[in-house]
Amino acid sequence: ETGVTQTPRHLVMGMTNKKSLKCEQHLGHNAMYWYKQSAKKPLELMFVYNFKEQTENNSVPSRFSPECPNSSHLFLHLHTLQPEDSALYLCASSAYFGQETQYFGPGTRLLVL
Amino acid sequence: GQQLNQSPQSMFIQEGEDVSMNCTSSSIFNTWLWYKQDPGEGPVLLIALYKAGELTSNGRLTAQFGITRKDSFLNISASIPSDVGIYFCAGQLSGSARQLTFGSGTQLTVLP
């Protein structure tokens, strides 16, 4: 595996479900990011981790809970989501926090019913 | 926070035509980036610009960092079908606030 991988690629969940998104980077990077992408809107940065420590939380609702057990893995735990949370969730990594060159995974397409 | 205005929102062009899109901001950025997103994939970095006035090419793509540091342009020459996708600009400040600010994208369709 190379680059940034994300699983699952597609997810349908009810508002009472609990699910997790997984991201893994094989680039030896130290910073990882979660973005939300909605149609015709700019990418919204949700969370940033630098050397496993959370450095940014852009006012994201608590129903989204990130976890970064090591520099290569990033999770986004989902609980009691709303239909408006349906979007493409992108993971990205960079060599260090603040480096402009971010490498993105293919995303998880989430549908909340 | 910063906002980027990216235009046009969408474009339909004939294969072989040249394409131009741009981003403007009310804020000054120190770095401008252009990404392309293919259907079903994440964005891929095309060009990074680091100095006002800089003009950088990547194959048929050419991007410029505006002199005012508040805008950037991307040109694609002699478009081909695989140019289809969404093109995003992104700007970055220096210092502690180093998040990327993204534009809302330009959807490009190339007609045969």
Side-chain angles (χ1 to χ4, degrees):
Chain A
E1 293 269 23
T2 57
V4 182
T5 58
Q6 289 186 243
T7 55
R9 293 293 306 272
H10 301 272
L11 179 62
V12 180
M13 59 187 288
M15 288 191 282
T16 58
N17 292 158
K18 285 185 184 180
K19 296 285 184 186
S20 295
L21 310 185
K22 179 182 175 183
C23 175
E24 185 172 0
Q25 57 95 0
H26 309 268
L27 301 168
H29 289 169
N30 293 307
M32 296 187 78
Y33 311 78
W34 278 117
Y35 287 89
K36 176 183 179 183
Q37 184 178 28
S38 304
K40 299 195 196 296
K41 288 177 136 182
L43 271 70
E44 300 171 48
L45 181 64
M46 301 173 72
F47 302 103
V48 181
Y49 277 82
N50 188 38
F51 289 98
K52 302 188 300 176
E53 298 299 320
Q54 188 179 128
T55 58
E56 300 278 346
N57 175 343
N58 281 359
S59 304
V60 180
S62 59
R63 57 187 184 267
F64 295 92
S65 174
E67 179 190 0
C68 188
N70 54 61
S71 294
S72 300
H73 293 85
L74 186 64
F75 294 89
L76 188 62
H77 304 300
L78 315 173
H79 178 47
T80 59
L81 295 192
Q82 304 298 310
E84 60 265 27
D85 296 322
S86 299
L88 182 69
Y89 288 85
L90 290 163
C91 173
S93 71
S94 62
Y96 53 84
F97 170 60
Q99 191 195 30
E100 72 284 354
T101 310
Q102 294 182 14
Y103 293 81
F104 286 84
T108 294
R109 175 70 62 186
L110 174 66
L111 177 62
V112 181
L113 301 176
Chain B
Q2 297 84 25
Q3 283 191 321
L4 294 184
N5 296 310
Q6 185 171 349
S7 65
Q9 201 171 57
S10 62
M11 301 182 75
F12 291 81
I13 61 168
Q14 294 291 141
E15 185 176 353
E17 287 185 349
D18 297 344
V19 172
S20 186
M21 59 192 78
N22 70 85
C23 273
T24 60
S25 170
S26 56
S27 305
I28 290 175
F29 287 105
N30 293 310
T31 303
W32 280 95
L33 306 155
W34 285 92
Y35 283 85
K36 183 193 177 196
Q37 185 173 24
D38 289 327
E41 299 296 329
V44 173
L45 182 64
L46 298 174
I47 293 178
L49 303 158
Y50 300 99
K51 285 170 50 176
E54 181 180 350
L55 187 72
T56 297
S57 293
N58 177 4
R60 293 178 295 106
L61 277 60
T62 301
Q64 184 160 26
F65 192 139
I67 290 290
T68 65
R69 295 164 64 195
K70 292 183 178 181
D71 57 4
S72 181
F73 303 84
L74 176 69
N75 296 313
I76 305 173
S77 62
S79 57
I80 59 178
S82 61
D83 291 333
V84 165
I86 304 176
Y87 292 80
F88 292 96
C89 62
Q92 186 189 42
L93 298 169
S94 62
S96 60
R98 288 178 287 179
Q99 296 179 20
L100 294 182
T101 300
F102 283 85
S104 52
T106 295
Q107 172 73 64
L108 178 64
T109 302
V110 180
L111 305 170

